[in-house]
Amino acid sequence: MNTSVHGAVRLAWASLRALLVLTVVTGIVYPLAVTGIAQAAFNDEANGSMVTVQGKEVGSSLIGQSWNLKDTDKPDPKWFQPRPSNSGYDPLTTGSSQLGASDPTLLKAVGAAKKQVATFNDVPESAVPKDAVTGSASAIDPHISPEYAKIQVKRVAKANGLPEAQVKKLLKEHTEGRAAGFLGNPYVNVLELNIALKKAGKG
């Protein structure tokens, strides 16, 4: 009996030591090591890729945001607009609408959105690209296609009192190509383009 109890105590103590060691390694050492490596090798990404203008954080280059008229839910014509977001660009509630491509609710919403985008940018509905009326899987995509950006140039230039040629030049400068020359699609980071646009407006 005593031998049995002694064995159980030894087993419990061994288990406790293993638990303590694993807790220290996986709960303290590993997270600190990963955090240290991330801060050293990928400092910008590890800290949210925050974008700062004149010492003030204006957003993250990894997370989309709305560009509306102050205190409204209406898009501001002065700025390039992002693709729609099912979560209101909230990084804590990411996700798509979960509606299928043939769902009547989605089709109706896309049709209405296409009409609004076409009217807002004074272009025919046939010129409105898919990303202008559909959200991304994450709902916080900070990028739009060059095609969507192009149909916004005329409206943005007029609202800011800038020549269209100047706005087109800014768009070209902020259009990223395919990764490695063949992966993915060209894209435009809306936040970075709008920051450049604001600077151009002050010039």
Side-chain angles (χ1 to χ4, degrees):
M1 183 69 177
N2 289 337
T3 302
S4 177
V5 171
H6 182 66
V9 170
R10 288 183 59 187
L11 182 60
W13 175 236
S15 298
L16 180 60
R17 282 183 298 175
L19 175 62
L20 291 174
V21 171
L22 288 173
T23 298
V24 171
V25 172
T26 62
I28 299 176
V29 176
Y30 178 74
L32 287 177
V34 171
T35 300
I37 293 172
Q39 289 293 337
F42 309 101
N43 183 266
D44 185 49
E45 291 85 351
N47 290 291
S49 296
M50 301 306 295
V51 178
T52 303
V53 177
Q54 296 180 343
K56 180 181 179 181
E57 290 185 350
V58 296
S60 168
S61 62
L62 301 177
I63 300 175
Q65 61 183 357
S66 60
W67 295 85
N68 296 334
L69 292 166
K70 188 176 180 180
D71 299 325
T72 75
D73 59 355
K74 296 181 179 180
D76 191 331
K78 290 171 53 179
W79 306 113
F80 281 92
Q81 295 296 317
R83 63 188 304 175
S85 169
N86 185 60
S87 69
Y89 309 101
D90 184 351
L92 299 179
T93 57
T94 60
S96 66
S97 67
Q98 302 300 314
L99 297 176
S102 61
D103 188 289
T105 301
L106 179 63
L107 294 175
K108 183 178 180 181
V110 168
K114 180 176 287 190
K115 184 176 182 179
Q116 290 175 349
V117 171
T119 300
F120 186 59
N121 293 286
D122 193 24
V123 297
E125 290 187 28
S126 59
V128 178
K130 292 180 180 179
D131 64 310
V133 295
T134 57
S136 64
S138 69
I140 57 172
D141 190 348
H143 307 124
I144 58 175
S145 66
E147 291 73 26
Y148 184 23
K150 287 175 183 177
I151 69 169
Q152 301 186 61
V153 168
K154 182 178 179 180
R155 181 253 303 160
V156 168
K158 181 179 180 180
N160 285 280
L162 295 172
E164 282 188 43
Q166 184 177 1
V167 177
K168 286 181 180 178
K169 183 172 182 293
L170 288 174
L171 172 56
K172 184 177 180 180
E173 292 172 349
H174 288 81
T175 298
E176 299 291 337
R178 299 173 186 273
F182 66 93
L183 295 175
N185 296 308
Y187 64 87
V188 179
N189 186 287
V190 179
L191 175 60
E192 294 175 357
L193 177 56
N194 279 338
I195 289 175
L197 179 65
K198 185 174 182 179
K199 292 179 179 178
K202 290 182 177 180

